[in-house]
Amino acid sequence: MKAITYTEFGGPEVLRLAEVDEPHAGPGQVRLKVVAAAVNPLDYKIRNGWRPHMAPPFPVIPGVEAAGVVDEVGEGVTGVAVGDEVLGWTVTGAYAEHALAVDFGPKPADLDWDLAAALPVAVETSVRVLDALGVGEGDTLLLHGAAGVAGAVGVQLAVAHGATVIGTASPGNHDYLRSLGAIPVAYGTGLADRVREAAPQGIDAVYDAAGAGDLEVSIDLLSGTDRIITIADPKAAELGVTFSGPAPFGSRLGEYARLAADGKLTVRIAQSLPLEDAAKAQELSGSGHAAGKLVLRP
């Protein structure tokens, strides 16, 4: 099969389109004929050698998120059959024509493939964080990085729970945040004053999806660390803030995929590119200038 691989750490130039052996579904696994694979910032961080503890053995096939059609079902797998459309996390790399998965959910037939591939990480992350924070009716949530993919999903889910969301973002994204139901504020110097002006009633919880160094401001605004969670700031431990990492999500994904198919949950798609343009996609991801999710089509 065709896949993007690399055999050494480095810049986007180490990525190569290659012919590799197809994987086959083992116990507890399904194999997908990948229709769309999403690009995440973690992909280029691992490729650069910045996360060596997370890098699989060379040669590496990047990517974790995919949507596709099940074409093999391993021993012990129930509730799914060959021909089913699913979305979820791959264990063999998503930038390929075929990938193995153990954590996935059903894809509604009317859900766009690019959007399906863009959902798993953002949905799992935001559901996990909002559940841990206990965000609900009447809460005011400060969400850093609200215009990013995970942040935007967090905004939508928190608003659906009845919360007021104050979202930090660059001014160019403020109209987008308003369209999602958030009250936008610009990040940077003077953030605390802008948040207090936007939320004179005070802040009840903080979801940091940006990792841009705003934890100390958040602690001050909240007068403590009890309801602050970051998914991105390495200073969390020294500040006494909870750092939250991914957990299995599985079939729950189908519930949110249905919301997306019904137009009740959305992710901005920046670009959909052919698989051979993976280097371009990762370069754009690393620039921080992609307005939404980047997707590869094998």
Side-chain angles (χ1 to χ4, degrees), residues 133 215 218-219 222-229 236 239-242:
L133 289 172
L215 289 183
S218 301
I219 292 168
L222 198 56
S223 299
T225 60
D226 285 350
R227 293 184 78 189
I228 302 178
I229 291 178
L239 294 173
V241 170
T242 298

Side-chain angles (χ1 to χ4, degrees), residues 236-249:
E238 65 184 83
L239 294 173
V241 170
T242 298
F243 189 103
S244 183
F249 199 66

Side-chain angles (χ1 to χ4, degrees), residues 41-110:
L42 184 60
D43 300 347
Y44 75 77
K45 293 175 183 177
I46 293 175
R47 186 210 68 221
N48 273 324
W50 300 342
R51 301 288 191 275
H53 62 290
M54 302 180 72
F58 292 125
V60 176
I61 298 175
V64 295
E65 286 180 289
V69 181
V70 174
D71 66 1
E72 286 183 7
V73 178
E75 181 182 351
V77 178
T78 59
V80 66
V82 170
D84 286 354
E85 297 179 355
V86 300
L87 64 157
W89 294 262
T90 69
V91 295
T92 53
Y95 295 18
E97 291 182 315
H98 294 278
L100 302 183
V102 296
D103 195 13
F104 55 88
K107 173 195 165 296
D110 52 344

Side-chain angles (χ1 to χ4, degrees), residues 244-262:
S244 183
F249 199 66
S251 59
R252 289 185 70 192
L253 195 52
E255 169 190 345
Y256 297 93
R258 183 67 262 166
L259 289 175
D262 291 342

